C-alpha cells in the first residue's frame, strides 16, 4: 500500500467481527491505517495478535487477518475501543477513549460474551476510568461478562515478547474454558 492509500483509509470504519454466544470478545485500541485500508483487524504485518492467538491455543493454526471471519466459529470476536483509524494510538484523546468505553459497554451488554479482552491495559484504564488496572482479570464486570486486560499486541510494545504475550493470552483461554 502506498502512503497515500494508507492516509485515505483514516475515514473508513472497520466492522466488528462478532456472533452469538462468544466466549471471548477481543477489543483492540483502535484500527491502524493498514486495518482501515484492508478492513481486516490487526492487519499490520508487525502486529502480533494473529501469531499470539495461535500460540496461545485459541486457534488451531495461525490465521491471516483476511481470515478474521472464521473467529466466531471458534467462539471469538473482535471490536475496538475507538472506531477512528490512526497511525498510532497516541493520536487519540482521553475523551475519545471514554466515549469509546461507553459504546463498548453497550456493545458488550448486547452481545453478552463470557469475556471481554481489552488488548491494551492503558486504553482499558482510560476507557473505563480504572487507573489501577493491571494485566489480567479485572474485578469489574459488564453484566455477566468478565473483563481481562491483555498486553497490546502492537509491534511498538517492546515490553512483551510474542511468547510472554501468548502466555497471558493462554491464561485467558483457560479461564474462558473454565466458564
Amino acid at each position: 500500500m502506498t502512503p497515500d492509500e494508507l492516509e485515505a483509509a483514516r475515514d473508513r470504519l472497520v466492522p466488528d467481527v462478532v456472533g452469538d454466544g462468544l466466549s471471548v470478545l477481543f477489543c483492540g485500541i483502535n484500527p491502524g491505517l493498514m486495518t482501515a485500508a484492508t478492513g481486516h483487524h490487526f492487519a499490520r504485518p508487525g502486529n502480533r495478535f494473529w501469531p499470539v492467538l495461535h500460540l496461545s491455543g485459541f486457534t488451531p493454526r495461525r490465521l491471516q487477518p483476511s481470515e478474521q471471519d472464521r473467529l466466531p466459529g471458534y467462539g471469538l470476536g473482535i471490536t475496538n475501543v475507538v472506531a477512528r483509524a490512526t497511525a498510532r494510538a497516541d493520536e487519540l484523546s482521553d475523551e475519545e477513549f471514554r466515549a469509546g468505553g461507553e459504546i463498548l459497554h453497550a456493545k458488550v451488554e448486547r452481545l453478552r460474551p463470557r469475556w471481554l479482552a481489552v488488548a491494551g491495559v492503558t486504553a482499558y484504564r482510560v476507557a473505563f476510568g480504572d487507573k489501577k488496572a493491571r494485566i489480567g482479570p479485572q474485578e469489574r464486570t459488564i453484566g455477566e461478562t468478565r473483563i481481562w486486560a491483555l498486553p497490546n499486541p502492537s509491534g511498538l510494545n517492546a515490553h512483551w515478547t510474542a511468547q510472554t504475550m501468548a502466555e497471558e493470552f493462554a491464561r485467558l483461554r483457560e479461564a474462558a474454558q473454565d466458564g
Side-chain angles (χ1 to χ4, degrees), residues 23-24 26 55-58 76 114-115 137 146 148 150 166-179:
S23 177
V24 179
F26 289 97
L55 288 170
S56 63
F58 272 110
L76 308 173
R114 276 190 272 163
W115 286 89
R146 303 262 335 261
W148 197 292
L150 290 168
E167 290 166 7
E168 188 61 30
F169 273 57
R171 288 182 57 220
L172 167 61
R173 181 183 51 77
E174 290 164 7
Q177 288 175 337
D178 292 342

Side-chain angles (χ1 to χ4, degrees), residues 103-131:
I103 293 167
L104 180 59
H105 190 280
K107 191 178 299 186
V108 169
E109 284 182 326
R110 180 174 49 83
L111 294 171
R112 298 176 27 205
R114 276 190 272 163
W115 286 89
L116 170 65
V118 181
V121 70
T122 303
Y124 172 79
R125 288 176 185 144
V126 178
F128 288 94
D130 186 353
K131 295 177 184 175

Side-chain angles (χ1 to χ4, degrees), residues 44 46-48 87-90 152-160:
R44 181 161 290 289
N47 193 293
R48 297 169 290 181
R88 295 176 51 106
D90 62 9
N152 181 349
S154 167
L156 299 175
N157 180 358
H159 300 292
W160 290 76

Side-chain angles (χ1 to χ4, degrees), residues 22-88:
L22 295 178
S23 177
V24 179
L25 177 61
F26 289 97
C27 181
I29 296 171
N30 73 307
L33 298 182
M34 182 73 74
T35 289
T38 64
H40 302 129
H41 292 270
F42 301 104
R44 181 161 290 289
N47 193 293
R48 297 169 290 181
F49 177 80
W50 297 102
V52 166
L53 199 64
H54 172 62
L55 288 170
S56 63
F58 272 110
T59 59
R61 66 175 178 82
R62 181 177 169 178
L63 299 177
Q64 297 300 311
S66 61
E67 296 178 289
Q68 67 185 15
D69 291 336
R70 292 178 179 253
L71 290 178
Y74 299 120
L76 308 173
I78 305 178
T79 188
N80 287 291
V81 176
V82 177
R84 183 169 73 90
T86 60
R88 295 176 51 106

